[in-house]
Amino acid sequence: MSIKHLFTGILSSLLLSAVTSSVAEAYLSMSESTEIPRAADYQVGVEPQFLTDNGGGTNITGFFDAPFDDATSGRLWLGAGTIDFNVGATVKYVPFPDVDNQPGIGFRAGGFFARKSSLNILTLQLATLFSKKVETGSGLWIPYAAVALDLTNTKDRDFTGSQVMFGTEFKTSELPSMYFGAEVGLNLSETFSYIAGTVTFPFDSSKGLF
């Protein structure tokens, strides 16, 4: 089974569950720019997330990225914390890449399942994403912004939430085997606010991570 078929199968299962299940809202983040990994390159990473409202809390999530083509990539998520367990799959499509003076403009869709205490949590997230590379003496910065719509079905009610996220990725030639990220998410409606960071490890699939 190819990586692309694996992502498609997981995402389809999560979206089907969104239609048929009774669940509650999840704690979601963007944690990526419009950059697409190069062909045959993959990425693994970790993201600590600190919730700043709704009682606070901390989640730790790992992720795995794979490119499908020059404009599309997928990500698998797995985490725990304030949310006892969460798993998800997202697909990012960037029809307008970051070229010359044009910022990257893309879209991301994903399904997430989680569990907190006795609550099963399932959310469909749709997002628009913008980013622009900025070369500096310290390294490459990729600031980004996103607006996300979270469609949530709970055992008590169905509702739609929205968030805006601002963040940046930072890459330096001094640490070619990893790069870093930071993000702030703001609650617009029926969601949550948070601060998050990421450490990402790119690797060539023919050589492995180490």
Side-chain angles (χ1 to χ4, degrees), residues 6-200:
L6 174 63
F7 274 93
T8 302
I10 293 174
L11 183 58
S12 298
S13 298
L14 288 167
L15 297 183
L16 179 61
S17 297
V19 176
T20 60
S21 299
S22 177
V23 290
E25 76 173 295
Y27 296 95
L28 311 170
S29 63
M30 186 59 51
S31 296
E32 61 179 332
S33 68
T34 60
E35 295 298 295
I36 301 292
R38 296 176 301 177
D41 281 3
Y42 299 101
Q43 300 182 151
V44 295
V46 62
E47 176 205 61
Q49 180 193 60
F50 306 98
L51 308 180
T52 59
D53 59 6
N54 294 334
T58 302
N59 296 308
I60 303 293
T61 302
F63 55 84
F64 169 76
D65 294 340
F68 299 155
D69 55 41
D70 291 343
T72 313
S73 66
R75 173 173 286 191
L76 297 176
W77 307 73
L78 178 65
T82 299
I83 297 297
D84 297 332
F85 168 81
N86 69 86
V87 62
T90 56
V91 173
K92 180 174 66 177
Y93 173 56
V94 183
F96 307 104
D98 180 352
V99 178
D100 298 326
N101 293 325
Q102 173 186 287
I105 303 173
F107 307 93
R108 197 180 79 176
F112 297 84
F113 173 80
R115 187 171 180 84
K116 183 179 181 182
S117 300
S118 61
L119 291 177
N120 290 325
I121 301 168
L122 195 83
T123 300
L124 168 64
Q125 186 184 70
L126 306 172
T128 303
L129 179 62
F130 308 87
S131 72
K132 190 76 182 86
K133 296 190 291 288
V134 180
E135 290 276 6
T136 71
S138 60
L140 175 65
W141 296 84
I142 312 176
Y144 62 85
V147 179
L149 195 66
D150 300 333
L151 308 176
T152 302
N153 165 233
T154 78
K155 64 182 180 181
D156 298 319
R157 67 188 182 105
D158 298 338
F159 60 93
T160 300
S162 58
Q163 295 168 282
V164 60
M165 296 92 150
F166 301 98
T168 187
E169 296 174 345
F170 174 67
K171 303 179 180 182
T172 172
S173 58
E174 296 180 3
L175 294 170
S177 62
M178 68 178 71
Y179 65 91
F180 306 92
E183 179 173 301
V184 174
L186 302 177
N187 175 14
L188 297 181
S189 173
E190 297 279 6
T191 55
F192 52 90
S193 298
Y194 63 88
I195 299 171
T198 58
V199 181
T200 304

